[in-house]
Amino acid sequence: MAKPRVEPTHNTRRENFYATQIDSKHITHSLFQTHHILKPLSDIHAKNMYIDPHIHMVSRTTDDYARMAAAGCVAVTEPAFWAGFDRSSAAGFHDYFRQLTESEPRRAAAYGIAHHAWICINPKEAEDHGFAREVMSMIPEFLSRPNVLGVGEIGLNRNSKTELAVFEEHLEIAARHNSLVLIHTPHLEDKLKGTRLILDAIAAHGKINPARILVDHVEEHTVRMVLERGMWAGMTLYPDTKCTAARAVDIMEMHGTERIWINSAGDWGHSDPLAVPKAVVTMRARGHTAADIHKISFENPRAFLSQSGNFSVNAPRPTRS
């Protein structure tokens, strides 16, 4: 005889969500029910614990948080970036920075994920130097927020002189506040030139320890020059314009696992918030050890990010609204 269904009491929150189970061949989704938030799943995903150190969660749904938490995500860091359109006022950036430092950490905490942020004006909106300076004048206010790690993602988009000047001013802000720096490198055909310009500007500035700088979106032709300068390198698992999982694993096999991490850069575009655990599957399939996988997906980002005293893999307890 089938067991009668037991309905939750009025004071018990029950949520349905897809818990991602990772094995050496594929990722499958099975429907779970749990009381309250995600604590009952801790035993399921403990061995798959990971950090996504570059993802734009303001562009993602709460379903994505649930899937990521079930797959083992314990912390994310979210750089300030382009919204898909140019903002019309500095006040728009102020509201966005509040979202990154007030609303989004609460949303992540509800799923047991620690949320951290980076503050800047992104290079795609930096062509108006006066406007960029107005936005940059607000950065120090937000660098003191408890979930903020530093200045980012700064860098170049079209490798213009104005973008470069704004990048250099961001570096000065980071130096004055002893902040970590996360750097965006240009897309596709502009990447090599842009990466060289960025690295030369950092060297000329000379006030920030290279070990406190992460240069993101590296590819086969840029990773070596970043690592040789003593900086950290991020490989972005993003369809079409950045690395696939297979290419990222190729790069690791060629350059090792020191000062390298992987991230999804999931946003409002064609992207995958589960790109990091899926890359783990690729690493397993190619015979990489559990120690190397843990180093790339958890220990390396934790080591870099922990240079900021604000970083933690422990989400604050969610508060009831």
Side-chain angles (χ1 to χ4, degrees):
M1 178 183 295
K3 293 182 179 180
R5 180 181 178 187
V6 178
E7 295 293 336
T9 60
H10 71 280
N11 62 348
T12 300
R13 178 181 179 184
R14 293 179 67 90
E15 294 186 349
N16 291 334
F17 62 93
Y18 282 95
T20 304
Q21 297 174 314
I22 303 176
D23 61 26
S24 61
K25 294 182 180 178
H26 57 277
I27 294 180
T28 60
H29 296 86
S30 57
L31 188 63
F32 274 78
Q33 287 184 317
T34 182
H35 291 273
H36 197 48
I37 313 292
L38 293 174
K39 277 191 175 180
L41 287 178
S42 58
D43 291 339
I44 294 173
H45 63 59
K47 68 179 180 179
N48 299 314
M49 184 166 57
Y50 74 92
I51 296 167
D52 193 335
H54 184 150
I55 186 168
H56 301 286
M57 292 307 298
V58 297
S59 306
R60 309 301 309 194
T61 67
T62 50
D63 286 346
D64 291 325
Y65 271 125
R67 291 161 56 214
M68 291 165 63
C73 184
V74 294
V76 297
T77 87
E78 179 160 1
F81 85 132
W82 186 54
F85 61 92
D86 291 347
R87 297 168 179 87
S88 60
S89 70
F93 275 91
H94 193 276
D95 290 342
Y96 173 48
F97 296 160
R98 287 189 58 209
Q99 183 181 15
L100 290 177
T101 57
E102 298 173 17
S103 303
E104 207 58 34
R106 290 195 296 268
R107 199 163 71 108
Y111 293 88
I113 295 174
H115 179 281
H116 307 85
W118 306 78
I119 304 297
C120 74
I121 178 170
N122 68 88
K124 200 171 178 66
E125 292 177 273
E127 276 301 326
D128 183 333
H129 204 162
F131 180 74
R133 282 180 168 162
E134 187 177 359
V135 175
M136 285 189 287
S137 71
M138 298 185 293
I139 292 176
E141 170 191 348
F142 289 92
L143 290 178
S144 63
R145 297 289 176 97
N147 76 318
V148 173
L149 303 177
V151 177
E153 57 182 304
I154 61 174
L156 299 176
N157 177 48
R158 295 185 176 179
N159 299 334
S160 72
K161 290 182 179 180
T162 304
E163 288 175 2
L164 189 58
V166 170
F167 173 69
E168 291 166 343
E169 290 174 34
H170 274 110
L171 291 179
E172 186 58 30
I173 294 171
R176 285 201 309 267
H177 293 271
N178 194 31
S179 297
L180 297 179
V181 176
L182 189 145
I183 292 174
H184 166 94
T185 51
H187 300 291
L188 301 174
E189 68 272 8
D190 290 327
K191 183 172 293 291
L192 181 59
K193 178 183 178 181
T195 302
R196 286 174 173 158
L197 288 171
I198 286 167
L199 296 181
D200 289 345
I202 292 170
H205 180 259
K207 298 180 183 179
I208 301 174
N209 182 346
R212 293 174 61 81
I213 299 173
L214 185 289
V215 179
D216 214 346
H217 316 322
V218 300
E219 296 181 13
E220 293 87 346
H221 56 309
T222 59
V223 60
R224 183 180 297 279
M225 66 177 69
V226 171
L227 294 174
E228 286 178 345
R229 302 272 189 123
M231 300 171 201
W232 287 67
M235 295 183 295
T236 300
L237 308 167
Y238 196 97
D240 305 328
T241 61
K242 299 181 178 72
C243 278
T244 62
R247 286 175 57 203
V249 177
D250 287 342
I251 291 170
M252 283 184 276
E253 289 173 349
M254 293 178 64
H255 298 279
T257 58
E258 295 300 319
R259 287 184 286 115
I260 288 180
W261 76 29
I262 52 177
N263 63 74
S264 71
D267 58 12
W268 39 258
H270 180 207
S271 54
D272 186 355
L274 293 180
V276 172
K278 288 179 180 180
V280 165
V281 173
T282 300
M283 291 185 71
R284 285 183 182 145
R286 286 170 56 163
H288 287 270
T289 66
D292 279 348
I293 291 170
H294 191 62
K295 182 177 177 66
I296 285 290
S297 61
F298 183 81
E299 292 296 346
N300 279 1
R302 183 171 69 170
F304 176 80
L305 298 168
S306 292
Q307 294 180 92
S308 166
N310 286 347
F311 181 75
S312 173
V313 296
N314 300 311
R317 290 179 63 85
T319 56
R320 295 185 181 276
S321 57

